[in-house]
Amino acid sequence: MTLFEVLNFHRELLNRLVSVGFKTDDCRFIGLYADYRRMLESGEKVTYIVSTLSDKYGVCERKVYSIIKHFETDCTARAV
């Protein structure tokens, strides 16, 4: 199966995801955000969490803050 065939087959789902703000890179950071929520719920401070996740996932701290903000954004459909 080619990349085109996969994209074409999932076209409707992909269009819906894009309409609510999905970016293709988001999949890479699901684990990072899940770790963030778990650490936050266990009482860790945000600056410690960000520093730890930055090291664990090999991204800069600014990127971790950006991912957190992006993942906490409400999904509201917009025209594509």
Side-chain angles (χ1 to χ4, degrees), residues 5-61:
E5 291 168 332
V6 171
L7 291 172
N8 191 44
F9 182 78
H10 296 288
R11 175 181 41 205
E12 184 178 336
L13 172 61
L14 293 169
N15 283 334
R16 288 176 188 250
L17 289 170
V18 168
S19 75
V20 296
F22 173 81
K23 300 177 196 168
T24 54
D25 242 14
D26 290 347
C27 296
R28 291 181 42 212
F29 301 115
I30 293 170
L32 183 150
Y33 188 74
D35 287 348
Y36 165 76
R37 296 295 305 163
R38 181 184 49 76
M39 292 173 78
L40 192 63
E41 289 171 6
S42 71
E44 301 291 348
K45 300 222 182 262
V46 173
T47 52
Y48 171 76
I49 296 170
V50 169
S51 176
T52 302
L53 295 178
S54 172
D55 290 339
K56 181 177 180 180
Y57 288 92
V59 294
C60 69
E61 291 183 8

Side-chain angles (χ1 to χ4, degrees), residues 53-70:
L53 295 178
S54 172
D55 290 339
K56 181 177 180 180
Y57 288 92
V59 294
C60 69
E61 291 183 8
R62 184 68 240 146
K63 179 70 173 174
V64 175
Y65 282 113
S66 175
I67 292 165
I68 293 167
K69 182 179 178 184
H70 179 62

